[in-house]
Amino acid sequence: MNAGPAPEWAPAIPVVQAPMAGGASTPELAAAVSEAGGLGFLAAGYRTAGRMRADIERTRELTSRPFGVNLFMPSSDAVDDAAVAAYRARLGAEGGRLGVEPGTPQARDDGWDAKAADLLADPPAFVSVTFGCPGAGLVRAFRRAGAVVIVTVTTADEAREAAGAGADALCVQGMEAGAHRGSFTNTGEGALPLRALLAAVREVVGGLPLIAAGGLGTAAQVADVLALGAVAAQCGTAFLRCPESGASAVHKEALADPRFTETAMTRAFSGRPARGLVNRFLVEHSPHAPAAYPDVHYVTSPLRKAAAAQGDPDAVNLWAGEAFRSAADAPAAEIVAALAAGTA
Ligand SMILES: Cc1cc2nc3c(=O)[nH]c(=O)nc-3n(C[C@H](O)[C@H](O)[C@H](O)COP(=O)(O)O)c2cc1C
């Protein structure tokens, strides 16, 4: 496929550890991956600017190699407050069982302005953005501040917009991916499997570097997307069970539990399509969850926290990509080496 030469910023080993909001991508995980020759990422989503900065400083203590931080672009989708209230009422019984009240919706901007300002002052080597694309002025400003800017895209139209805004690279996320689909809107439309999406995106962005994401859990799968012209594979689920990962014990165990056999897309936990292991909460509530992000995220937050603390995998968001069976409980450096085996 029509890929250009590998950019000078490409990691020595073509494996990017996905940013994973909610606690999985710790400074320890990002640093271990970067130390192993891949590219580690921190997730700033759901964190304050102060927590994000503390994570960056901690990662800098652990490695002098390049790493990245990922931001959630604020949503401009309209939200039906009555539908959120009805869903919250529906979840009352879950709360009763777990001994907590469902939460209430909070600000929708994820502290974007404060985090962007903080990163413009002192960015790590890479800044990636999900759920939308910053304007060309901000992309230019991040680049001038010294960061390589990556935008996650899930359709050819999103790729065209991100390329037009001046992104250095695109993270092309196929529908096999674990957790949220990083689409610019919350319509749920237009999702494509990774290989078809890579081809469609390549068509509209020419030689712009592409990082492939979604369901990549083995060296063969990584080699396959590199052969399709990607400069690297971005893997999330593959790192969830690492000792360096901050995923909850319940989440780590579920990924290896034979009781969980498949994944599905759901809005039940956050109001945005996201892929997770099929558990009771997902089955019972998916048909009723409104397209309301991050409102539903805040409504379910106390339930998810209580369920995780009580060791109940059936009321937690067990984010997982389609290749979850390949995720191993092994140090991150070993996972990087295993994913890249044969690609050097
Ligand atoms: C637990 C979890 C949390 C995630 N959080 C984020 C995030 O904060 N930002 C982001 O850009 N992508 C996030 N992703 C998606 C990844 O960037 C990537 O697209 C996905 O992990 C690739 O699919 P895989 O999980 O099958 O490897 C997350 C993925 C997982 C599994």
Side-chain angles (χ1 to χ4, degrees):
M1 233 187 259
N2 175 26
E8 37 88 29
W9 48 256
I13 294 183
V15 172
V16 178
Q17 163 253 309
M20 293 184 278
S25 50
T26 58
E28 287 71 21
L29 178 60
V33 169
S34 289
E35 281 291 306
L39 175 59
F41 253 93
L42 299 171
Y46 310 133
R47 274 187 159 21
T48 61
R51 287 287 301 279
M52 176 190 78
R53 178 52 52 185
D55 281 352
I56 291 171
E57 294 308 332
R58 175 73 185 135
T59 310
R60 284 175 173 164
E61 283 167 20
L62 297 170
T63 183
S64 55
R65 298 215 185 211
F67 64 91
V69 67
N70 172 256
L71 298 174
F72 284 172
M73 185 91 184
S75 159
S76 54
D77 296 294
V79 163
D80 179 345
D81 293 330
V84 174
Y87 189 61
R88 186 176 188 278
R90 177 187 169 81
L91 296 180
E94 294 279 353
R97 201 175 44 76
L98 292 161
V100 290
E101 284 277 303
T104 46
Q106 294 170 31
R108 297 199 177 113
D109 67 356
D110 198 48
W112 170 269
D113 288 346
K115 287 183 234 185
D118 182 276
L119 291 178
L120 285 171
D122 180 15
F126 293 80
V127 171
S128 75
V129 179
T130 297
F131 298 153
C133 182
L138 185 53
V139 171
R140 209 177 308 120
F142 279 134
R143 298 184 76 225
R144 271 209 210 102
V148 174
V149 178
I150 302 171
V151 176
T152 300
V153 300
T154 65
T155 65
D157 283 346
E158 291 172 358
R160 196 178 287 113
E161 182 178 336
D168 292 286
L170 306 182
C171 175
V172 177
Q173 187 202 40
M175 61 191 284
E176 302 90 337
H180 287 108
R181 182 173 171 217
S183 48
F184 292 8
T185 62
N186 190 3
T187 64
E189 289 162 9
L192 282 174
L194 176 58
R195 285 150 189 83
L197 181 62
L198 277 171
V201 167
R202 180 62 77 205
E203 189 88 358
V204 298
V205 302
L208 196 63
L210 304 182
I211 296 168
L216 305 175
T218 65
Q221 289 165 332
V222 170
D224 184 40
V225 294
L226 298 180
L228 290 174
V231 295
Q234 178 161 312
C235 306
T237 304
F239 290 99
L240 279 174
R241 297 182 64 215
C242 292
E244 297 94 336
S245 150
S248 67
V250 131
H251 193 175
K252 288 184 176 186
E253 282 160 21
L255 288 163
D257 185 342
R259 190 161 77 78
F260 296 109
T261 56
E262 56 177 345
T263 65
M265 292 297 275
T266 181
R267 283 196 169 96
F269 296 102
S270 71
R272 233 189 191 276
R275 186 174 295 282
L277 296 176
V278 175
N279 64 359
R280 183 190 56 77
F281 193 102
L282 185 150
V283 170
E284 287 183 10
H285 302 299
S286 292
H288 307 279
Y293 178 89
D295 301 54
V296 172
H297 161 83
Y298 289 118
V299 166
T300 65
S301 174
L303 308 176
R304 290 181 281 116
K305 281 189 187 129
Q310 294 168 28
D312 175 4
D314 271 300
V316 186
N317 52 318
L318 300 170
W319 295 152
E322 287 184 1
F324 72 95
R325 277 285 176 254
S326 308
D329 174 6
E334 285 180 25
I335 304 285
V336 171
L339 288 170
T343 64

